[in-house]
Amino acid sequence: MAANPERKLYLQQFKAISNAISTYEDLNLLIYHLIEGLCRTFEFKASSILLHDEREKQLFHVSSHGISEDYIDKGPVFYNEKHSAFVTGEPVFVDDLKTDPRVQYPEAALQEGITAMASFPIKCRNVVVGILRIYHSEQIRLHNDDVESILLLCLHLGLVIENSGLKNFLDSVKGAMGNLPLRLLEGL
């Protein structure tokens, strides 16, 4: 990264985003507001969030801002690249989407008008559950403190995603338990 890019995410914005992450009840709305806010704060062209599907062994698109449906629907995103943010658990910056061999769909990126991308892992308890991708029409240069702030926000988001999954699981178990005959529930 460049020597000293301007810092853009300060404590006030970080607190507001952190508060939103911990209080939103609608996960989809939270995710959209998060990526939209990052695009506005850093003046990025677009952003998206992809979550890991363990059964399919791929990342699937959850939400995006500033990018076309054609780009989103270009195909599955596999995470077998050893240098990806999903595999390493560290941020990855791609300065030239046209020539970087790690890029899965370089032609689609060019048609979309994006030339650079940054990927940040979304973690829950040191397990990567997805990635935040940022797209821009020029190289992405972030202040080190902004990189750390985005990583912390992704960590918070990972906890919310995990808790949402656990809540959905418990709700389905409760529903299934409610359908059991009463005699089978004795002693539970």
Side-chain angles (χ1 to χ4, degrees):
M1 284 193 281
N4 227 353
E6 176 187 348
R7 185 169 181 194
K8 297 199 176 187
L9 189 59
Y10 290 95
L11 182 60
Q12 182 177 355
Q13 294 97 337
F14 185 83
K15 283 172 40 177
I17 296 169
S18 293
N19 184 56
I21 289 173
S22 64
T23 59
Y24 268 64
E25 294 196 20
D26 183 336
L27 181 61
N28 292 323
L29 186 61
L30 165 65
I31 288 172
Y32 181 77
H33 283 169
L34 175 65
I35 59 177
E36 178 188 34
L38 288 173
C39 284
R40 289 175 191 247
T41 298
F42 292 98
E43 300 174 353
F44 296 136
K45 177 173 176 41
S47 183
S48 65
I49 290 192
L50 299 104
L51 294 180
H52 179 227
D53 182 330
E54 292 178 35
R55 288 182 175 83
E56 297 291 325
K57 295 191 181 344
Q58 69 182 24
L59 296 165
F60 66 95
H61 173 262
V62 175
S63 188
S64 64
H65 174 77
I67 202 154
S68 73
E69 287 298 317
D70 286 341
Y71 188 76
I72 298 299
D73 294 336
K74 66 190 174 307
V77 179
F78 298 100
Y79 54 83
N80 57 359
E81 170 61 50
K82 65 181 178 181
H83 302 292
S84 74
F86 184 83
V87 173
T88 66
E90 298 294 328
V92 172
F93 291 82
V94 178
D95 291 334
D96 187 355
L97 293 172
K98 183 174 67 176
T99 61
D100 196 302
R102 298 173 292 181
V103 177
Q104 204 168 345
Y105 303 104
E107 300 84 20
L110 288 175
Q111 289 175 352
E112 192 67 25
I114 53 177
T115 58
M117 176 179 69
S119 294
F120 293 86
I122 299 171
K123 295 181 182 181
C124 180
R125 297 177 186 87
N126 292 322
V127 174
V128 180
V129 297
I131 56 173
L132 162 69
R133 284 202 171 153
I134 297 165
Y135 309 95
H136 205 38
S137 56
E138 55 192 56
Q139 286 186 341
I140 298 171
R141 300 291 178 236
L142 297 172
H143 190 280
N144 287 339
D145 289 343
D146 287 334
V147 170
E148 291 299 318
S149 293
I150 292 171
L151 284 169
L152 283 171
L153 292 173
C154 286
L155 187 61
H156 292 155
L157 182 60
L159 287 170
V160 170
I161 290 167
E162 186 85 0
N163 285 341
S164 177
L166 290 172
K167 182 185 179 305
N168 290 341
F169 171 74
L170 289 175
D171 288 346
S172 67
V173 168
K174 285 180 189 176
M177 295 288 288
N179 291 327
L180 286 174
L182 294 176
R183 69 185 181 327
L184 296 177
L185 295 174
E186 287 180 24
L188 294 179

